Amino acid sequence: MVFNSLGFLVFFPIVLVIYYIVPKGVQNFWLLLSSYWFYMSWNPRYGLLLLIFTIFTYICGLVLGKDSGAAREVSEESGGTETYEMYTGSGSGAIINQGKPDHGTTRFHGVIEESGTSMAARTDPGEIGVAEVGHGMKGVNSKRKRILAFSLFVVFGLLAFFKYTNFLLDNVSGLLARLSINLSVDHLSIVMPVGISFFLFQSAGYLIDVYRKEIPAEKNFINYALFVSFFPSILSGPIGRAPALLPQYLSPRSFDWDSVSEGFLLMLWGFFLKLVIADRAAILVNNVYAGYHNIYGSAIVAATVIYGIEIYCDFCGYSTIATGAAKMLGVRLMDNFNCPYFSVSVQDFWRRWHISLSSWFRDYLYFPLGGSRCNIFRRCFNIMVVFIVSGLWHGSQWSYIVWGALNGIYQIIGSLLLPIRIKVLSLFGFDKDVLNPKKNPAMGGSMRYAAKLGMEKPDIANSEIENQGMANSRIEKTGEEKPGIEKSDLEERGMAPTGFKDFRMAVLKLIRILITFCLIDFAWLFFRAAGLRDAVMMLQQIRCNFGASQFSLQYLYSLGLDMKNFLLLIFATVILFIGDFVKYRGGSVGKWVLQRPMILRELIIALFILFILIFGIWGNAYNASSFIYFQY
């Protein structure tokens, strides 16, 4: 069952109606049953594997949390909302922090932050945990460390078995052949469960959080099983965090018309991205990448650019549908994409793209390795490890590893060349902080150039762009979202200068956005290619047989999309970027629609549904595909 199927369009309304009819104490159990039904619709055996895995990690979490200093209390001031009590600090001194978990985010108030760096970054790089309370806890922590190591070995060992066994066999066989050792190694008949990378990473994050004493172990098996298997996100994310999700399952949810309306519009937007844009773009991209031997290099370049749009709309479409469905059920998932193609650097791109995965790697791999608080060589090593592992996470092919390595190399080169770029820009009158997103808000969102104005700069402590880290760590607190399409904070404060400085900044920003897109899109070629050999051959085709003089619109229309469908793709993509631009500027088209008078609001929604039904790719005639990230 996929979101863009008739089965789901019948399944979800039934789940939603019964969910708000049953007693509130049964809501989680009903969601759990629905989640297993949804997951087992792919293969009933997947449900048994998921259940066994859930029981294993649940027991490991209880054992890890047995001697943990984290405790859960119900706060009367918060209306029954549960709070977490955590131990942080180092050595024999411990600081106790208390706070409510943020909803739909990966952070919570009890974790101390310094310059956007989490507590994990300030510990010994060799340690995964946060703190030890007193010298008498050393033996207990040693035991807990062994339990964590065992549980993570099983979790990632399971992932490696399903995902990388045949990849390793192929490489061993190839290596032996190069050594003139003839040994036939057959592939194993392994069927990888859908979504395994997502729920395994989610469970691993939970175990690490319990070990770090950032959260208590969840004792209610139904709640924990729902955390692992929640059907909107189990197949392709977003990868949830226990501090954000578990507290939401602990309190009953009542029907809220505003949340249901916002969630419904999010689902419509996700269907638009998937059915109208992604599946239409896939027709051209699939044709070009399958027959690149007989196609000019210019067409390969055009298809790669379109693939950048396809994969964004496909994956963001799924995440948006998942977020919308969860919101209709009263559960907040984190925003997995934040206008990634408006990024001004590759580092900025990874703060905005697949935020749940990139933040997972930041908190559980990059920071424990030492993060950026080490010498330049170690920092470069840490970055490369993270992105090569990210490439492997996406697939068991060398092309994915190259894709990940390219993104790591981009960031390293960008960091090393930063002083040179600043000196070059100073020749054009820019100040030394022009490329620093924390000191120059103009490089992010809706804020304009504010350097050297002699005025108080706006508070950007909660800016979505941090100078430290590998991914977006924006803290979105419930109730702080901006209603509708609004002006930027600087414009409201009367601090936004106009004139030549703004024009220069806009030009510089546009140049950086275009360069970032070109770098990211070049890496997408390796990501989309059937293998590393195909990617290299396509690059040779681009270099040796570009065919610029033969390239024309008529030639482009012969690659799978006729003129009408191609123009419709362009039109829909323009709508996409208008929506992203509004979001980038701090607004929300969905909230703007919901604020219109009832007749106008319903008319807009009805027309949008009609547009999707008419122009969406439906059925086998167009080879409508499943969501791309299901295979990861």
Side-chain angles (χ1 to χ4, degrees):
M1 186 188 302
V2 294
F3 285 164
N4 55 329
S5 67
L6 180 61
F8 181 78
L9 297 180
V10 175
F11 165 81
F12 183 67
I14 294 175
V15 172
L16 185 66
V17 171
I18 296 178
Y19 174 73
Y20 283 115
I21 291 178
V22 300
K24 289 182 170 55
V26 188
Q27 284 180 326
N28 287 351
F29 183 68
W30 170 246
L31 276 186
L32 182 62
L33 290 179
S34 303
S35 297
Y36 268 78
W37 177 273
F38 177 83
Y39 191 71
M40 292 172 67
S41 67
W42 293 89
N43 188 326
R45 290 178 296 179
Y46 292 165
L48 179 60
L49 174 67
L50 178 63
L51 178 62
I52 294 174
F53 172 79
T54 301
I55 294 173
F56 171 76
T57 52
Y58 170 75
I59 294 174
C60 290
L62 290 179
V63 176
L64 284 171
K66 183 178 180 181
D67 299 309
S68 173
R72 184 186 288 121
E73 297 178 355
V74 178
S75 170
E76 296 181 359
E77 297 178 0
S78 60
T81 301
E82 301 214 358
T83 62
Y84 288 131
E85 187 176 90
M86 293 148 289
Y87 287 105
T88 60
S90 59
S92 59
I95 303 173
I96 298 179
N97 295 289
Q98 197 173 43
K100 291 181 288 185
D102 292 328
H103 293 285
T105 67
T106 60
R107 296 178 183 271
F108 44 95
H109 305 302
V111 177
I112 301 175
E113 301 273 344
E114 286 182 7
S115 303
T117 307
S118 75
M119 191 70 195
R122 300 194 301 274
T123 61
D124 182 354
E127 296 290 335
I128 298 180
V130 173
E132 298 176 357
V133 184
H135 296 292
M137 297 292 291
K138 290 183 179 179
V140 174
N141 282 313
S142 178
K143 176 183 175 183
R144 296 177 71 243
K145 188 182 297 185
R146 291 195 298 270
I147 295 172
L148 177 67
F150 170 73
S151 61
L152 294 182
F153 175 80
V154 173
V155 169
F156 293 119
L158 187 65
L159 179 64
F161 171 76
F162 279 106
K163 202 164 187 176
Y164 306 111
T165 299
N166 287 324
F167 174 68
L168 292 174
L169 291 176
D170 287 340
N171 283 274
V172 169
S173 178
L175 178 61
L176 293 176
R178 290 179 178 274
L179 297 175
S180 300
I181 300 176
N182 295 323
L183 180 63
S184 177
V185 181
D186 296 329
H187 274 201
L188 299 180
S189 298
I190 299 174
V191 179
M192 187 177 72
V194 291
I196 187 171
S197 299
F198 291 91
F199 66 76
L200 287 183
F201 266 47
Q202 186 159 307
S203 301
Y206 163 80
L207 293 174
I208 296 173
D209 286 339
V210 172
Y211 173 78
R212 289 176 173 176
K213 306 175 185 178
E214 293 180 352
I215 60 169
E218 180 56 56
K219 297 181 180 179
N220 187 308
F221 180 75
I222 299 296
N223 292 346
Y224 176 73
L226 180 59
F227 165 74
V228 176
S229 63
F230 188 46
F231 75 86
S233 60
I234 187 173
L235 298 183
S236 288
I239 301 172
R241 299 291 188 88
L245 285 179
L246 283 176
Q248 298 186 64
Y249 298 141
L250 298 175
S251 57
R253 277 83 62 192
S254 301
F255 181 84
D256 180 75
W257 179 254
D258 291 337
S259 294
V260 172
S261 299
E262 291 175 14
F264 180 70
L265 284 183
L266 283 174
M267 292 185 72
L268 284 183
W269 181 250
F271 282 122
F272 166 75
L273 296 181
K274 169 62 177 174
L275 297 172
V276 178
I277 302 180
D279 284 351
R280 180 167 275 102
I283 299 171
L284 185 148
V285 173
N286 293 342
N287 284 341
V288 171
Y289 272 72
Y292 67 88
H293 303 87
N294 303 315
I295 294 177
Y296 291 118
S298 54
I300 296 175
V301 172
T304 304
V305 171
I306 294 174
Y307 178 69
I309 304 300
E310 178 200 346
I311 190 172
Y312 173 43
C313 291
D314 190 283
F315 193 20
C316 182
Y318 180 93
S319 294
T320 305
I321 296 172
T323 303
K327 197 164 192 176
M328 293 181 74
L329 294 166
V331 177
R332 291 182 177 271
L333 300 178
M334 69 184 302
D335 189 0
N336 213 16
F337 291 86
N338 185 16
C339 315
Y341 287 139
F342 285 94
S343 303
V344 294
S345 66
V346 174
Q347 185 183 43
D348 189 24
F349 176 83
W350 282 103
R351 295 186 183 105
R352 299 174 179 274
W353 178 278
H354 203 345
I355 298 169
S356 63
L357 178 67
S358 55
S359 62
W360 196 100
F361 279 123
R362 176 199 63 207
D363 293 340
Y364 300 125
L365 182 58
Y366 181 68
F367 284 161
L369 285 173
S372 59
R373 297 198 169 189
C374 47
N375 63 60
I376 184 63
F377 299 104
R378 181 59 186 268
R379 182 185 181 188
C380 293
F381 172 80
N382 295 343
I383 292 174
M384 289 303 297
V385 167
V386 168
F387 279 100
I388 288 175
V389 171
S390 176
L392 273 173
W393 180 89
H394 282 86
S396 54
Q397 292 183 170
W398 284 103
S399 55
Y400 289 116
I401 296 176
V402 172
W403 167 79
L406 276 174
N407 281 277
I409 292 171
Y410 289 157
Q411 294 207 35
I412 292 172
I413 293 177
S415 177
L416 295 177
L417 295 182
L418 181 61
I420 298 176
R421 288 187 290 154
I422 292 176
K423 288 183 179 180
V424 171
L425 289 174
S426 67
L427 299 178
F428 293 91
F430 291 100
D431 62 80
K432 64 179 181 179
D433 295 323
V434 66
L435 299 182
N436 189 324
K438 296 195 91 174
K439 296 184 179 180
N440 180 25
M443 280 301 160
S446 59
M447 296 188 176
R448 293 183 177 181
Y449 188 62
K452 295 184 177 180
L453 293 180
M455 294 184 286
E456 181 183 357
K457 293 188 178 182
D459 178 17
I460 58 173
N462 290 336
S463 171
E464 65 187 6
I465 299 179
E466 294 181 355
N467 190 42
Q468 180 75 36
M470 300 294 293
N472 186 308
S473 58
R474 180 182 181 182
I475 302 177
E476 296 181 358
K477 299 177 183 178
T478 304
E480 291 187 358
E481 298 176 350
K482 296 182 179 180
I485 304 173
E486 297 185 352
K487 295 182 179 180
S488 68
D489 293 337
L490 281 180
E491 291 173 327
E492 291 174 353
R493 300 184 189 192
M495 294 177 60
T498 58
F500 187 58
K501 284 186 176 181
D502 274 343
F503 176 75
R504 287 192 313 163
M505 183 58 62
V507 172
L508 174 62
K509 191 171 184 178
L510 179 60
I511 292 173
R512 296 190 71 194
I513 290 173
L514 291 175
I515 292 175
T516 301
F517 178 81
C518 290
L519 293 173
I520 294 297
D521 200 61
F522 175 75
W524 282 139
L525 185 146
F526 291 88
F527 191 92
R528 174 58 182 81
L532 184 58
R533 178 177 177 275
D534 291 84
V536 172
M537 292 183 67
M538 279 191 282
L539 291 177
Q540 291 178 347
Q541 188 81 339
I542 293 172
R543 182 176 64 88
C544 302
N545 189 22
F546 190 75
S549 59
Q550 289 82 8
F551 188 83
S552 65
L553 288 177
Q554 294 301 321
Y555 178 69
L556 191 61
Y557 298 152
S558 69
L559 299 177
L561 288 179
D562 58 23
M563 182 179 69
K564 292 181 180 179
N565 274 286
F566 188 82
L567 292 179
L568 178 59
L569 176 63
I570 299 299
F571 175 72
T573 303
V574 170
I575 294 177
L576 161 68
F577 278 96
I578 290 175
D580 269 12
F581 183 72
V582 171
K583 180 180 179 181
Y584 185 72
R585 297 278 295 183
S588 170
V589 175
K591 290 187 177 181
W592 180 85
V593 171
L594 292 176
Q595 291 170 356
R596 299 311 94 195
M598 184 181 68
I599 296 178
L600 179 59
R601 179 181 68 238
E602 302 305 323
L603 179 61
I604 293 174
I605 294 174
L607 289 176
F608 195 50
I609 294 175
L610 187 63
F611 182 85
I612 296 173
L613 291 175
I614 293 175
F615 297 110
I617 300 295
W618 300 93
N620 295 325
Y622 283 99
N623 294 320
S625 60
S626 298
F627 291 89
I628 291 175
Y629 264 68
F630 280 2
Q631 62 186 300
Y632 306 132

